[in-house]
Amino acid sequence: MAGGLLDREGKAYTGVRPLLIQGAMKVETSHMVEQLDELEEYRLGEWYFAAGSYHGVPLAVSRTQWGLANAAATTALAMEFFRPVAIINQGTAGAHDPALKNFDIVVGRETVNISAWKSHFRASGMGVDETALDKLGVFAYDKDEHRFTQEVYHKADEGLFQAAIARKDFYTKGRVTEGVVGTADSWNCQVDRVLFLHDFYGTAVEEMEGDAVAQICQTYDVPFLTIRVISNTVFAGDVDWDLAVGAALQEYVLAVAEAYMKKH
């Protein structure tokens, strides 16, 4: 494997600017890496990246590892090294919408950090009310205002979103729908808690990276989309995930990336 932090010599990627696809784990990225022609592998910091072409389209793949901090760090590194034309963050997710089943896909119309809130004051001895919250949002750079601004929701790039919706018939292992993708460093397994978040934020699913990536993409002014496949749902009594969904999603995401890049 080549290099280290920015190739350990500060060199940037010299190939054609790719679309970057992210996933947290091997099970969320390995199938895409295997499909790349002219494969080159990189290590930036301690994170794995790959680059090559897919049906003639330049793509890069990032294995972010779990969580908001890792997702933000790897996205910033990728911005400086690959200068991607767009980013698709994808992977597994837990259902917030009771209608969703394993293998269903949610194309993220928006992302939201579901741990960015302020609780209402309660004095000592009054107990804890986990629903007494105000949405706070998180900070990303606003190019029009020339400063970092606080926003609750981050909208997907319309071109990427429409490319994903246009390829929905490509996917046959479940439904493809759209919705709000919730992000936090938490895994909610209580049905009532999940239903509260679904109502409070309007979320369809929860995962651990998407909104952090959206922040960095906004700051760098790079188009962003997240696509998530249901791997578990508390409404079916599932708290463990079905890892078989990972490869199915990656095939769909490759089709979306190819369609987008051939139009841009």
Side-chain angles (χ1 to χ4, degrees):
M1 184 180 295
L5 180 59
L6 293 186
D7 209 23
R8 293 202 185 282
E9 298 177 6
K11 296 179 180 177
Y13 180 68
T14 57
V16 177
R17 292 178 64 193
L19 183 148
L20 177 74
I21 305 174
Q22 301 172 314
M25 305 174 290
K26 276 188 176 182
V27 72
E28 295 173 318
T29 55
S30 59
H31 181 73
M32 293 185 297
V33 173
E34 290 167 0
Q35 308 309 306
L36 295 179
D37 296 323
E38 302 173 350
L39 176 66
E40 296 280 350
E41 296 176 293
Y42 302 86
R43 186 173 294 280
L44 308 182
E46 297 303 327
W47 293 280
Y48 172 85
F49 294 80
S53 64
Y54 177 76
H55 296 174
V57 167
L59 295 182
V61 177
S62 167
R63 191 170 297 148
T64 67
Q65 303 298 327
W66 287 21
L68 283 81
N70 284 317
T74 52
T75 303
L77 284 170
M79 293 295 190
E80 298 293 337
F81 186 76
F82 290 104
R83 298 179 299 113
V85 298
I87 289 180
I88 298 176
N89 176 269
Q90 57 84 51
T92 58
H96 278 193
D97 183 343
L100 292 170
K101 312 296 182 186
N102 282 13
F103 282 93
D104 286 347
I105 285 175
V106 174
V107 179
R109 172 62 81 176
E110 296 176 306
T111 61
V112 58
N113 186 320
I114 58 175
S115 61
W117 41 259
K118 178 183 178 181
S119 61
H120 297 176
F121 174 77
R122 293 175 73 87
S124 176
M126 293 182 64
V128 176
D129 182 354
E130 293 188 354
T131 67
L133 307 175
D134 296 321
K135 302 181 184 75
L136 279 185
V138 291
F139 286 85
Y141 190 76
D142 186 311
K143 66 178 182 178
D144 295 323
E145 297 194 24
H146 306 290
R147 64 186 180 90
F148 283 83
T149 60
Q150 191 174 13
E151 297 171 274
V152 175
Y153 296 93
H154 293 101
K155 291 184 179 180
D157 174 76
E158 189 63 22
L160 281 169
F161 180 83
Q162 291 301 331
I165 296 301
R167 295 311 308 268
K168 65 190 300 185
D169 291 340
F170 176 88
Y171 185 74
T172 60
K173 295 187 177 181
R175 295 187 302 136
V176 177
T177 186
E178 63 180 83
V180 178
V181 174
T183 305
D185 284 326
S186 58
W187 186 331
N188 290 291
C189 298
Q190 299 175 4
V191 172
D192 287 345
R193 174 69 173 169
V194 169
L195 287 173
F196 166 73
L197 292 169
H198 175 58
D199 180 64
F200 187 64
Y201 285 106
T203 43
V205 299
E206 67 172 44
E207 44 82 75
M208 298 181 178
E209 294 85 29
D211 194 59
V213 178
Q215 285 177 263
I216 304 302
C217 285
Q218 179 177 314
T219 297
Y220 277 85
D221 195 24
V222 169
F224 166 80
L225 176 70
T226 189
I227 305 174
R228 291 286 167 164
V229 63
I230 303 303
S231 58
N232 60 287
T233 170
V234 295
F235 305 107
D238 294 332
V239 292
D240 294 324
W241 55 28
D242 181 351
L243 297 183
V245 302
L249 174 63
Q250 288 168 70
E251 279 291 328
Y252 171 70
V253 170
L254 285 170
V256 172
E258 179 184 2
Y260 177 82
M261 288 295 280
K262 287 184 175 178
K263 284 189 175 181
H264 294 79

Short mmCIF file of all heavy atoms in Angstrom, two decimals, residues 108-113 152-156 179-183 207 210-212 214-215 224 226:
data_model
loop_
_atom_site.label_atom_id
_atom_site.label_comp_id
_atom_site.label_asym_id
_atom_site.label_seq_id
_atom_site.Cartn_x
_atom_site.Cartn_y
_atom_site.Cartn_z
N GLY A 108 -30.93 10.11 1.18
CA GLY A 108 -31.06 11.20 2.14
C GLY A 108 -31.38 12.54 1.49
O GLY A 108 -30.51 13.16 0.89
N ARG A 109 -32.62 12.97 1.62
CA ARG A 109 -33.00 14.31 1.17
C ARG A 109 -32.30 15.35 2.04
O ARG A 109 -31.87 16.41 1.57
CB ARG A 109 -34.52 14.48 1.25
CG ARG A 109 -35.03 15.87 1.01
CD ARG A 109 -34.73 16.39 -0.38
NE ARG A 109 -35.66 15.91 -1.38
CZ ARG A 109 -35.62 16.30 -2.65
NH1 ARG A 109 -34.70 17.16 -3.04
NH2 ARG A 109 -36.48 15.81 -3.52
N GLU A 110 -32.15 15.04 3.34
CA GLU A 110 -31.43 15.90 4.29
C GLU A 110 -30.73 15.00 5.30
O GLU A 110 -31.10 13.84 5.49
CB GLU A 110 -32.38 16.83 5.04
CG GLU A 110 -33.11 17.85 4.19
CD GLU A 110 -34.10 18.66 5.02
OE1 GLU A 110 -34.93 18.05 5.69
OE2 GLU A 110 -34.00 19.89 4.99
N THR A 111 -29.72 15.57 5.97
CA THR A 111 -29.13 14.92 7.14
C THR A 111 -29.30 15.82 8.35
O THR A 111 -29.48 17.04 8.22
CB THR A 111 -27.62 14.64 6.93
OG1 THR A 111 -26.93 15.89 6.74
CG2 THR A 111 -27.38 13.73 5.74
N VAL A 112 -29.25 15.21 9.54
CA VAL A 112 -29.38 15.97 10.77
C VAL A 112 -28.61 15.26 11.87
O VAL A 112 -28.60 14.03 11.95
CB VAL A 112 -30.88 16.13 11.18
CG1 VAL A 112 -31.56 14.79 11.36
CG2 VAL A 112 -31.02 16.98 12.44
N ASN A 113 -27.91 16.04 12.69
CA ASN A 113 -27.22 15.50 13.86
C ASN A 113 -28.24 15.38 14.99
O ASN A 113 -28.70 16.37 15.55
CB ASN A 113 -26.07 16.41 14.27
CG ASN A 113 -25.23 15.82 15.40
OD1 ASN A 113 -25.76 15.23 16.33
ND2 ASN A 113 -23.93 15.99 15.31
N VAL A 152 -29.60 23.10 11.57
CA VAL A 152 -30.09 21.82 12.06
C VAL A 152 -30.02 20.76 10.96
O VAL A 152 -29.57 19.64 11.18
CB VAL A 152 -31.53 21.96 12.59
CG1 VAL A 152 -32.09 20.59 13.01
CG2 VAL A 152 -31.56 22.92 13.78
N TYR A 153 -30.44 21.11 9.76
CA TYR A 153 -30.50 20.15 8.65
C TYR A 153 -29.55 20.58 7.54
O TYR A 153 -29.38 21.77 7.28
CB TYR A 153 -31.93 20.06 8.09
CG TYR A 153 -32.93 19.52 9.07
CD1 TYR A 153 -33.67 20.38 9.88
CD2 TYR A 153 -33.14 18.15 9.21
CE1 TYR A 153 -34.59 19.89 10.80
CE2 TYR A 153 -34.06 17.64 10.12
CZ TYR A 153 -34.78 18.52 10.91
OH TYR A 153 -35.68 18.03 11.82
N HIS A 154 -28.95 19.60 6.89
CA HIS A 154 -28.12 19.85 5.71
C HIS A 154 -28.76 19.16 4.51
O HIS A 154 -28.96 17.94 4.53
CB HIS A 154 -26.70 19.33 5.92
CG HIS A 154 -25.95 20.08 6.97
ND1 HIS A 154 -25.78 19.60 8.26
CD2 HIS A 154 -25.34 21.29 6.92
CE1 HIS A 154 -25.10 20.49 8.95
NE2 HIS A 154 -24.82 21.52 8.17
N LYS A 155 -29.08 19.93 3.49
CA LYS A 155 -29.76 19.39 2.32
C LYS A 155 -28.77 18.69 1.38
O LYS A 155 -27.63 19.13 1.22
CB LYS A 155 -30.48 20.50 1.55
CG LYS A 155 -31.67 21.07 2.30
CD LYS A 155 -32.41 22.11 1.47
CE LYS A 155 -33.62 22.65 2.22
NZ LYS A 155 -34.36 23.66 1.42
N ALA A 156 -29.23 17.62 0.75
CA ALA A 156 -28.44 16.93 -0.25
C ALA A 156 -28.29 17.79 -1.50
O ALA A 156 -29.14 18.64 -1.79
CB ALA A 156 -29.10 15.60 -0.62
N GLY A 179 -35.73 10.30 2.46
CA GLY A 179 -36.06 10.70 3.82
C GLY A 179 -34.90 11.43 4.47
O GLY A 179 -33.86 11.69 3.86
N VAL A 180 -35.10 11.76 5.74
CA VAL A 180 -34.08 12.44 6.54
C VAL A 180 -33.21 11.38 7.22
O VAL A 180 -33.72 10.44 7.84
CB VAL A 180 -34.72 13.35 7.60
CG1 VAL A 180 -33.66 14.02 8.46
CG2 VAL A 180 -35.61 14.39 6.93
N VAL A 181 -31.90 11.55 7.10
CA VAL A 181 -30.95 10.62 7.70
C VAL A 181 -30.39 11.25 8.97
O VAL A 181 -29.81 12.34 8.94
CB VAL A 181 -29.81 10.29 6.72
CG1 VAL A 181 -28.73 9.44 7.39
CG2 VAL A 181 -30.37 9.57 5.49
N GLY A 182 -30.56 10.57 10.11
CA GLY A 182 -30.07 11.06 11.39
C GLY A 182 -28.71 10.49 11.73
O GLY A 182 -28.45 9.31 11.50
N THR A 183 -27.84 11.33 12.29
CA THR A 183 -26.47 10.94 12.61
C THR A 183 -26.17 11.20 14.07
O THR A 183 -26.51 12.26 14.60
CB THR A 183 -25.47 11.73 11.74
OG1 THR A 183 -25.78 11.57 10.37
CG2 THR A 183 -24.04 11.27 12.00
N GLU A 207 -27.67 6.60 11.70
CA GLU A 207 -26.34 6.08 11.42
C GLU A 207 -25.33 6.97 12.12
O GLU A 207 -25.73 7.79 12.95
CB GLU A 207 -26.10 5.95 9.91
CG GLU A 207 -26.58 7.14 9.09
CD GLU A 207 -25.58 8.28 9.08
OE1 GLU A 207 -24.55 8.18 8.39
OE2 GLU A 207 -25.86 9.28 9.76
N GLY A 210 -23.08 10.43 8.41
CA GLY A 210 -23.56 11.25 7.31
C GLY A 210 -23.55 12.75 7.54
O GLY A 210 -23.07 13.52 6.70
N ASP A 211 -24.10 13.23 8.66
CA ASP A 211 -24.22 14.67 8.84
C ASP A 211 -22.86 15.31 9.07
O ASP A 211 -22.65 16.47 8.71
CB ASP A 211 -25.17 15.00 9.99
CG ASP A 211 -25.57 16.47 10.00
OD1 ASP A 211 -26.15 16.92 8.99
OD2 ASP A 211 -25.27 17.17 10.98
N ALA A 212 -21.91 14.57 9.66
CA ALA A 212 -20.55 15.10 9.82
C ALA A 212 -19.91 15.32 8.45
O ALA A 212 -19.21 16.31 8.22
CB ALA A 212 -19.71 14.15 10.66
N ALA A 214 -21.58 15.87 5.68
CA ALA A 214 -22.32 16.99 5.09
C ALA A 214 -21.74 18.33 5.53
O ALA A 214 -21.64 19.27 4.72
CB ALA A 214 -23.80 16.90 5.45
N GLN A 215 -21.36 18.45 6.80
CA GLN A 215 -20.75 19.68 7.29
C GLN A 215 -19.47 20.02 6.52
O GLN A 215 -19.26 21.16 6.10
CB GLN A 215 -20.39 19.55 8.77
CG GLN A 215 -21.54 19.63 9.73
CD GLN A 215 -21.06 19.42 11.14
OE1 GLN A 215 -21.13 18.32 11.68
NE2 GLN A 215 -20.54 20.46 11.76
N PHE A 224 -22.85 16.80 -2.03
CA PHE A 224 -22.91 15.71 -1.06
C PHE A 224 -24.27 15.01 -1.12
O PHE A 224 -25.30 15.64 -1.32
CB PHE A 224 -22.71 16.26 0.36
CG PHE A 224 -23.08 15.28 1.44
CD1 PHE A 224 -22.23 14.26 1.82
CD2 PHE A 224 -24.32 15.37 2.08
CE1 PHE A 224 -22.58 13.35 2.79
CE2 PHE A 224 -24.68 14.46 3.07
CZ PHE A 224 -23.80 13.45 3.42
N THR A 226 -26.07 11.33 1.01
CA THR A 226 -25.93 10.09 1.76
C THR A 226 -27.03 9.13 1.33
O THR A 226 -28.18 9.53 1.08
CB THR A 226 -25.97 10.32 3.28
OG1 THR A 226 -25.64 9.10 3.95
CG2 THR A 226 -27.31 10.79 3.76
#
